[in-house]
Structures are given as structure tokens and as C-alpha cells.
Amino acid sequence: MRRLWPSLALLVTAGCLQQETIPDPNEPLAGQQYSGAQVQTMVREIFRVADAQVRSGRLSPSQRDVVVSREVGSIVANVDPEKVRPTEAWRYGDAFRIAGRWQTAERLFKVAVQAAKTNDRLVNDSLKLARVEAHLGKIDEALAHVRSTYKAPPTEKAPILMATAYEIVPEAVGKDRDKDLAGLLLEAIEQHSETIVDPTSDAGRDFLKAKPLHIAHAYTLAARLFQSAGDDESARKAIEAREQRASDSLAF
């Protein structure tokens, strides 16, 4: 079944959005709710349509975020979190977060972490939970959940630095824990360095190609956080470590 999502089709901003349809798979019958797979599919499509409107200039990035949050909110309105199976909780958590329902997202990711049956799920869901906790100001809990991923095998460590530098730390900045966050970034850099990937795979090659850039970003962010916390010496050491890593990478 396909239906037109009204606010994506009719949003009036600087101009009107071009009408586009988004698959609405198996719209739930009365008394039922969307499955986790359906939620993920619809959220992806909402982002696809909204991102296309940003690229075409019909939406600004901030307008896109408002539209996406509203549309995803209409999806999770058809979900009762209490009826979500524990092994499916991870499929719903991001949708509730995107819709701005952070407390519900936290509950779902806690369930997901407890129900995780693989290292991949455990690492990813722990990091997603840490992001939500950071947003909610639960910095100690967020730090603990990031650090819980360090015991994962080297083949499962790839998400740690990315989530820490681009999602978790930005949610936690400005909550009087900048020095702790800087230290967390330095730890995540080491986890990234320990990561083992298959260099013959596309994903492995992409990881290795981007690795120096992400490490440099994390060092730079750590230095800024140390500086904002008044620790200029640690900030200087972070910059020196960044330059040393860059020098080492050029040597190969």
C-alpha cells in the first residue's frame, strides 16, 4: 500500500515540497501496531524524501529535521512500547528518539541491551543507549555504557569512535563534564586503533581510508573540550598526539 504523507507533500516553507509518495507497508489494522521492520523501512523512506528536498533546495537542513521528526512521530503513534518484544526493541528505539520521545527511546534501548544475543547488537545498542542518556543529562550512565563496549572483540569495535565522536559527545557537551568527555574521546581513539576489519571488503577498505580523518577529528574535539574545561596542558597533548598520528599515517 502507498499513501501520500501530507506534511511532506504540502509543507509550506520557502516553497512547497514536490509531491512524493512513501511506502507505508502493511498499515496496521485496528488494535495492531507497526512491526519493527515496518518502522525502520518507513523511517528510512522519510529521510530519503526529506534529504532529496534538501538537495533540491526546497528544504533547509533545519526544516528537514522538523519535518522528519513530525513524520516519524506519526509512525510511533501507532506503536505501544509495552507490546514491543525485547529482541525487537532495537528496531524501534531510534524512531522514538527521532520523534523526540527520548525517555521511551531510553527504555527501549535498555531492553535491547539486555536482550542482545550478538556482540554486534550489544555494541551498537549500548552506544545508542549512551547517546540517549547523554541527551537526558545522565552522563555517568552514558560513559559507563560506552566503556562497556571496550570488552568487545576487535572485529566488533568499529562503531565505538564514530558513535562517541559524532553522536554521544555532542549530546553531552555543555553539561559540566567536558573534561570527562575529552578523556572518553581519547579512549575511543584507542578502541578505533584496535579495530580489525577485512581489508579486502568494501566496508573494510572504507574504514581504513577514513580512519585517519575520524581519529584527527576526535583528537581535535578532545582538545577543544580539554581547553573549555581549563586543562590547557591536556589540550596541547591531544593536538600533539593528533599531529603524531598524522605523521605516522603518512609514513605508510
Side-chain angles (χ1 to χ4, degrees), residues 16-246:
C16 291
L17 288 178
Q18 201 171 46
Q19 290 193 354
E20 296 200 37
T21 54
I22 297 175
D24 187 8
N26 302 317
E27 190 168 7
L29 302 174
Q32 297 181 346
Q33 66 179 358
Y34 290 121
S35 71
Q38 287 172 333
V39 168
Q40 287 181 309
T41 297
M42 289 186 289
V43 170
R44 281 195 298 267
E45 287 302 295
I46 287 170
F47 271 105
R48 182 189 65 79
V49 172
D51 286 342
Q53 299 303 327
V54 172
R55 290 192 297 272
S56 68
R58 295 183 176 90
L59 278 181
S60 69
S62 61
Q63 290 168 335
R64 181 263 320 276
D65 293 343
V66 171
V67 170
V68 167
S69 179
R70 182 168 61 237
E71 291 298 328
V72 176
S74 71
I75 292 173
V76 300
N78 288 297
V79 175
D80 180 353
E82 301 303 320
K83 295 181 180 179
V84 170
R85 288 181 297 168
T87 55
E88 290 284 288
W90 65 274
R91 294 183 183 274
Y92 295 90
D94 269 331
F96 278 91
R97 176 186 60 77
I98 293 164
R101 295 178 58 178
W102 291 85
Q103 288 83 4
T104 302
E106 181 187 24
R107 293 202 306 272
L108 287 167
F109 282 126
K110 283 183 176 179
V111 171
V113 168
Q114 291 297 319
K117 297 186 182 300
T118 65
N119 283 313
D120 175 69
R121 282 263 53 87
L122 184 58
V123 169
N124 281 283
D125 296 341
S126 295
L127 294 169
K128 288 176 181 292
L129 174 57
R131 177 181 185 177
V132 174
E133 290 170 332
H135 177 86
L136 294 173
K138 299 178 180 181
I139 309 303
D140 286 330
E141 292 91 332
L143 295 174
H145 278 111
V146 173
R147 288 170 175 148
S148 74
T149 65
Y150 298 172
K151 62 180 179 288
T155 53
E156 303 293 344
K157 291 178 182 283
I160 297 174
L161 177 63
M162 304 294 286
T164 301
Y166 297 102
E167 297 176 352
I168 298 163
V169 167
E171 294 284 3
V173 165
K175 297 174 181 175
D176 298 322
R177 299 295 294 276
D178 284 2
K179 187 170 181 176
D180 292 326
L181 298 175
L184 187 73
L185 284 164
L186 298 184
E187 295 171 9
I189 289 169
E190 294 310 309
Q191 296 299 311
H192 207 63
S193 299
E194 294 175 10
T195 302
I196 295 175
V197 298
D198 177 3
T200 65
S201 68
D202 289 341
R205 284 191 293 269
D206 288 345
F207 176 91
L208 294 172
K209 182 178 180 180
K211 183 177 179 180
L213 297 176
H214 295 308
I215 287 177
H217 169 76
Y219 271 125
T220 301
L221 181 54
R224 290 174 182 167
L225 291 171
F226 277 129
Q227 192 168 41
S228 73
D231 189 345
D232 292 340
E233 178 63 15
S234 292
R236 181 186 63 78
K237 288 180 179 179
I239 294 299
E240 289 178 351
R242 183 193 66 188
E243 299 308 315
Q244 185 60 54
R245 290 268 190 158

